[in-house]
Amino acid sequence: MADDLSHSVVAHRDAALPRYDWTLKEVEALFARPFMELVYEAATVHRRWFDPNQVQKSQLLSIKTGGCAENCGYCSQSASFQTGLKAEKLMEPSAVIAEAMAAKAGGASRFCMGAAWRELKDRDTPKLASMIAGVKALGLETCATLGMLTADQARQLKEAGLDYYNHNLDTGPDYYAEVVTTRSYRDRLETLAHAREAGMNTCCGGIVGMGEARRDRAGLLHALATLPAHPDSLPVNALVPVTGTPLGERVLKLGEIDPIEFVRTVAVARLVCPRAMVRLSAGRETMSPEMQALCFLAGANSIFVGGKLLTTPNPEQDEDARLFALLDLQPMA
């Protein structure tokens, strides 16, 4: 039944054209497709919009680490959990711009700045605007994740030169309360709306492997695919289990997400948001070259480079250089 539904969806529509009327049943049916057919279809759609041999290199810097008031059950930076991470102050713009220069020299074309805040405070906006303008002046694509935004704050960030605002939904709405209780799903959707209305591109995805069911992964992608505008950037993160966090401890006990199921998630993301940059984000350090190759085949076309992703490990530059050479990939301009 599920397979018949997914085939009928493909038969009557151009799968490469964006849709905003996906049903949860349709997204679940895509997950249920035979793996080889699913990846083939996702790869075909990917080639309609992107060069399959090009992958964007992005670099992410934690500009304000630790002490976050949120209780996201996966996060090392939450003040609610004992993870051994020391809270730090917001970095100075000159230090951030120096890091961005190094990232560009290392081949990154996109620079992302992340602050461990529940929401942006107005007092910090001028310093952030200076950082963003300085990074933008280097010719880099700019992205920031700073927690919840007001409409006015979003406008100020856009005026400073911010290209993308990252605000993940994390998981499907039915599993959300298992992940965080200090911020609602509606709060997240409201911040995304402020970013869109200010004229910024949105970067929005989630984390898989937190103990959720496949239906919850389908729920996440359904929520993204039925937004007023699809995310321009869609990060798919595999949970990196951090000792001391509730979800990290659960995964350390029960095991990480199955690699093939992760690739399925990437493929479905590509199909329901065909024009998005699908970002293979956290968790790459433990992924084999073969698994990453399958992710790229299934439609992922962006990675984070550098040895650290906020506070969690990430492959080093030379390791990614070997991966690109092995798979004949080129950095996206």
Side-chain angles (χ1 to χ4, degrees):
M1 180 69 169
D3 194 50
D4 290 343
L5 177 58
S6 63
H7 276 294
S8 69
V9 170
V10 174
H12 297 293
R13 300 177 186 266
D14 183 342
L17 296 180
R19 287 178 53 192
Y20 301 89
D21 61 347
W22 287 96
T23 67
L24 180 57
K25 277 190 176 181
E26 287 176 327
V27 180
E28 288 183 286
L30 290 176
F31 270 96
R33 292 285 300 277
F35 181 74
M36 298 302 182
E37 292 182 18
L38 174 64
V39 172
Y40 175 79
E41 186 183 342
T44 302
V45 167
H46 182 62
R47 282 158 173 73
R48 285 281 295 274
W49 298 106
F50 300 100
D51 183 334
N53 298 309
Q54 290 190 355
V55 173
Q56 186 186 48
K57 290 184 175 183
S58 307
Q59 195 146 336
L60 175 60
L61 175 68
S62 179
I63 59 173
K64 193 278 171 191
T65 303
C68 183
E70 300 280 15
N71 66 352
C72 304
Y74 53 81
C75 187
S76 63
Q77 303 197 66
S78 172
S80 300
F81 314 127
Q82 298 298 318
T83 63
L85 190 72
K86 183 181 176 183
E88 299 175 0
K89 293 181 178 180
L90 180 64
M91 292 176 64
E92 291 300 319
S94 58
V96 173
I97 293 165
E99 292 280 357
M101 291 175 68
K104 183 177 181 179
S109 60
R110 174 186 174 93
F111 192 73
C112 307
M113 295 156 276
W117 286 323
R118 183 175 189 273
E119 69 274 315
L120 175 59
K121 299 291 195 298
D122 287 336
R123 65 173 180 265
D124 293 312
T125 305
K127 184 180 280 190
L128 288 163
S130 180
M131 289 179 197
I132 292 163
V135 173
K136 182 77 171 175
L138 298 174
L140 291 165
E141 197 172 80
T142 56
C143 181
T145 179
L146 312 166
M148 292 185 288
L149 294 180
T150 65
D152 186 57
Q153 288 168 340
R155 285 192 293 271
Q156 290 180 61
L157 295 176
K158 170 63 177 176
E159 289 170 3
L162 191 61
D163 297 310
Y164 285 79
Y165 194 74
N166 168 259
H167 203 63
N168 290 335
L169 294 182
D170 282 355
T171 188
D174 292 341
Y175 194 69
Y176 186 77
E178 299 295 319
V179 177
V180 57
T181 60
T182 52
R183 185 191 316 185
S184 71
Y185 222 68
R186 178 173 291 187
D187 288 335
R188 292 182 183 271
L189 294 172
E190 187 175 78
T191 288
L192 288 169
H194 291 327
R196 284 194 305 269
E197 289 160 6
M200 285 187 283
N201 299 306
T202 57
C203 177
C204 185
I207 307 170
V208 298
M210 298 190 291
E212 78 284 348
R214 176 182 281 183
R215 182 178 177 83
D216 299 310
R217 292 188 279 279
L220 166 67
L221 295 179
H222 174 253
L224 295 172
T226 54
L227 287 170
H230 289 170
D232 304 280
S233 164
L234 198 166
V236 182
N237 297 274
L239 179 68
V240 178
V242 176
T243 301
T245 62
L247 293 175
E249 295 288 353
R250 179 187 296 182
V251 169
L252 290 169
K253 183 183 296 184
L254 300 178
E256 298 182 15
I257 188 170
D258 176 77
I260 295 300
E261 184 69 13
F262 185 88
V263 178
R264 280 186 187 275
T265 306
V266 170
V268 176
R270 171 53 66 209
L271 289 173
V272 299
C273 294
R275 296 187 68 176
M277 294 290 293
V278 175
R279 302 190 183 280
L280 183 56
S281 301
R284 277 202 314 117
E285 197 204 13
T286 58
M287 294 180 189
S288 68
E290 294 83 1
M291 180 180 172
Q292 292 182 71
L294 278 174
C295 289
F296 294 136
L297 182 64
N301 60 343
S302 180
I303 60 171
F304 284 107
V305 296
K308 185 183 284 190
L309 200 60
L310 291 178
T311 64
T312 56
N314 198 54
E316 297 287 351
Q317 295 276 18
D318 56 349
E319 191 174 344
D320 281 331
R322 287 193 295 271
L323 179 68
F324 271 54
L326 178 67
L327 300 179
D328 302 310
L329 296 174
Q330 299 295 323
M332 189 181 293

